[in-house]
């Protein structure tokens, strides 16, 4: 069962299936059966702390069409609680982000996944689910899927 196709920067197609969706926190987990030629990204066991340097690999302003994926750095500057939009926690990042950044990985200096961008504000602030929300989503989504593994770094 295929839900769609992702095309990478080199034009290679990867059919995917949606495993789980969390609409409240704007998270979707997909799986591809196609062998990906790269090593997987590790997931950081440790949540970011105020002032931690973060890295973003994103499709800012659709630069991937030019076969360029920019890497930018910024800072984690905390979590906030939003009562009006379904009562949810957000992580806040001071980093270059704009249209096309949604879904981008946010990494620590060891290249481990800390979070994802789901919303951008102006071109210097990004929001995403907190590390705890993301970890809980991945854990619950993958608990019955033995063929997928999560790697935690200490």
């Amino acid at each position: 069962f295929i839900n769609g196709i992702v095309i990478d920067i080199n034009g290679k197609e990867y059919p995917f299936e949606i495993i789980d969706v969390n609409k409240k926190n704007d998270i979707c987990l997909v799986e591809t059966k196609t062998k990906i030629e790269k090593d997987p990204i590790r997931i950081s066991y440790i949540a970011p702390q105020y002032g931690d340097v973060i890295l973003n690999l994103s499709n800012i302003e659709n630069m991937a069409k030019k076969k360029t994926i920019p890497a930018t750095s910024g800072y984690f500057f905390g979590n906030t609680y939003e009562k009006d939009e379904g009562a949810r926690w957000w992580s806040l990042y001071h980093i270059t982000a704009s249209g096309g950044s949604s879904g981008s990985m946010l990494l620590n200096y060891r290249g481990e996944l800390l979070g994802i961008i789901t919303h951008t504000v102006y071109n210097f602030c990004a929001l995403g689910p907190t590390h705890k929300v993301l970890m809980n989503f991945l854990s619950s989504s993958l608990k019955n899927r033995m063929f997928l593994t999560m790697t935690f770094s200490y």
Side-chain angles (χ1 to χ4, degrees):
F1 185 77
I2 296 175
N3 296 107
I5 295 175
V6 172
I7 301 172
D8 73 11
I9 196 168
N10 296 312
K12 185 172 181 181
E13 295 183 354
Y14 297 90
F16 69 85
E17 177 183 346
I18 296 173
I19 294 174
D20 200 0
V21 175
N22 179 319
K23 291 182 181 180
K24 178 179 177 181
N25 292 295
D26 202 10
I27 310 170
C28 177
L29 182 64
V30 299
E31 173 192 19
T32 183
K33 301 278 191 214
T34 307
K35 181 173 175 17
I36 297 176
E37 306 287 324
K38 303 291 179 195
D39 292 335
I41 299 289
R42 291 182 173 273
I43 300 169
S44 177
Y45 178 71
I46 302 167
Q49 301 297 309
Y50 178 81
D52 282 355
V53 174
I54 53 154
L55 306 171
N56 177 23
L57 303 175
S58 69
N59 186 18
I60 299 170
E61 304 294 336
N62 258 345
M63 290 183 75
K65 289 181 180 176
K66 300 173 186 162
K67 295 196 175 198
T68 302
I69 302 293
T72 58
S73 65
Y75 299 93
F76 173 76
F77 63 96
N79 296 317
T80 187
Y81 186 72
E82 181 179 39
K83 294 178 185 176
D84 298 339
E85 292 291 328
R88 59 185 163 185
W89 282 93
W90 290 103
S91 284
L92 306 169
Y93 304 94
H94 186 272
I95 196 158
T96 302
S98 64
S101 294
S102 294
S104 297
M105 299 180 292
L106 296 168
L107 310 172
N108 62 20
Y109 67 92
R110 291 183 299 273
E112 301 163 335
L113 181 71
L114 291 173
I116 57 172
I117 294 176
T118 57
H119 297 77
T120 59
V121 182
Y122 301 108
N123 283 328
F124 59 87
C125 183
L127 304 171
T130 64
H131 185 266
K132 182 178 180 177
V133 167
L134 185 59
M135 295 297 284
N136 287 341
F137 171 73
L138 291 172
S139 179
S140 69
S141 298
L142 298 175
K143 70 181 173 188
N144 295 321
R145 301 184 78 87
M146 298 302 287
F147 54 88
L148 290 175
T149 60
M150 290 175 48
T151 303
F152 295 96
S153 298
Y154 297 94

